[in-house]
Amino acid sequence: MIENISTKDELLTIQEFAILVHRKPQTIYKQLNNRLNPYVQLVDNQKMLKKSAIFEIYGITVEQPIQPELNNSFNPNSTDEIEFLRGQVTHLQAELEKEREHNREKDKQLLDTLNKLAESQAALAAGQAADKQKALAEKIIEGQRPENIATIKGNKEKVKIGKIFGKLFRNH
C-alpha cells in the first residue's frame, strides 16, 4: 500500500495518512482540529497532512518505498533468445492446429450423434402415431362385431318396451 502513496511536498491525503498510522480515516478526521491541527494544510480545497506528523504524533517511522530495480539485461539483438522464442511460437502453433483438428473431429461426432437422435425421435413419433391408429382401428372393429351388434339391437328393443309401458301407465 505504501507504493501508492504520493509524497508530493511531504503531504499526504487523509486516507493515505490513515493507512500509514493504521487508523480509520474517520479517526483522523476527528483529530484534525486537535492534535493534528498544526500538521494540516489545505491544497486545492483538500485537507492534507504533513508526513512528519506520523512520527511526531504516533511515533511511527515511515520508510520510503523500495523502488524495484529494472533489469535491462534483455538484449533485443540476442539471436539465441530470438531463435528460442521463434521455436516456441512454432511449437505452440502446431499444438493449436492439433487442438483445432481435435475440435473439428469432436464437432463432427456431435453432429452425427444429433442426427441419429433426430432420426430416433422421428421414428419414435411415427411409431407412437402408428400405435394410436392401430388402437383406434381396433376400437372401430370391436364396435362392428356380431355380439356387439346384437347387444345394440337388444338395447333398442328395451328402449321401445320402456316407452310403451311408460305411455300405458302415464295415461291411467
Side-chain angles (χ1 to χ4, degrees):
M1 291 186 159
I2 295 176
E3 292 80 20
N4 296 330
I5 296 175
S6 64
T7 56
K8 180 184 173 188
D9 297 330
E10 298 292 320
L11 294 177
L12 302 169
T13 65
I14 303 299
Q15 287 75 18
E16 292 170 338
F17 189 88
I19 290 169
L20 290 173
V21 296
H22 308 289
R23 303 285 192 286
K24 293 182 180 179
Q26 270 184 328
T27 306
I28 304 303
Y29 278 110
K30 289 178 184 177
Q31 296 176 1
L32 288 180
N33 292 330
N34 298 325
R35 65 184 186 163
L36 290 176
N37 192 26
Y39 302 97
V40 176
Q41 288 188 2
L42 195 62
V43 177
D44 295 329
N45 289 327
Q46 183 178 5
K47 291 184 179 181
M48 305 286 280
L49 288 167
K50 292 180 183 176
K51 192 174 184 180
S52 60
I54 295 173
F55 179 73
E56 293 173 11
I57 300 292
Y58 294 96
I60 299 172
T61 57
V62 179
E63 297 178 15
Q64 290 294 329
I66 299 172
Q67 297 295 327
E69 293 182 23
L70 295 176
N71 184 358
N72 292 330
S73 64
F74 177 72
N75 182 356
N77 296 327
S78 173
T79 57
D80 291 341
E81 288 182 51
I82 292 171
E83 290 303 315
F84 172 75
L85 292 174
R86 284 184 181 158
Q88 286 289 82
V89 168
T90 304
H91 174 72
L92 291 173
Q93 285 175 336
E95 281 187 27
L96 180 61
E97 187 54 38
K98 285 180 187 176
E99 195 63 33
R100 285 180 179 162
E101 182 61 32
H102 178 73
N103 286 343
R104 284 190 284 271
E105 289 175 15
K106 289 293 182 184
D107 288 346
K108 184 179 176 185
Q109 289 175 353
L110 182 60
L111 187 59
D112 290 343
T113 304
L114 288 174
N115 286 335
K116 289 177 184 176
L117 178 62
E119 290 172 5
S120 297
Q121 288 177 336
L124 178 62
Q128 288 175 344
D131 288 346
K132 286 180 183 177
Q133 288 177 350
K134 182 179 175 184
L136 182 60
E138 287 175 357
K139 285 183 182 179
I140 291 171
I141 291 171
E142 284 178 14
Q144 294 176 356
R145 288 190 179 160
E147 62 267 3
N148 290 341
I149 293 171
T151 306
I152 292 171
K153 285 181 182 177
N155 287 341
K156 284 183 182 179
E157 289 176 15
K158 287 180 186 176
V159 169
K160 286 180 184 177
I161 293 171
K163 285 182 182 179
I164 293 171
F165 281 115
K167 286 181 183 178
L168 287 174
F169 290 113
R170 224 180 326 159
N171 293 335
H172 288 85

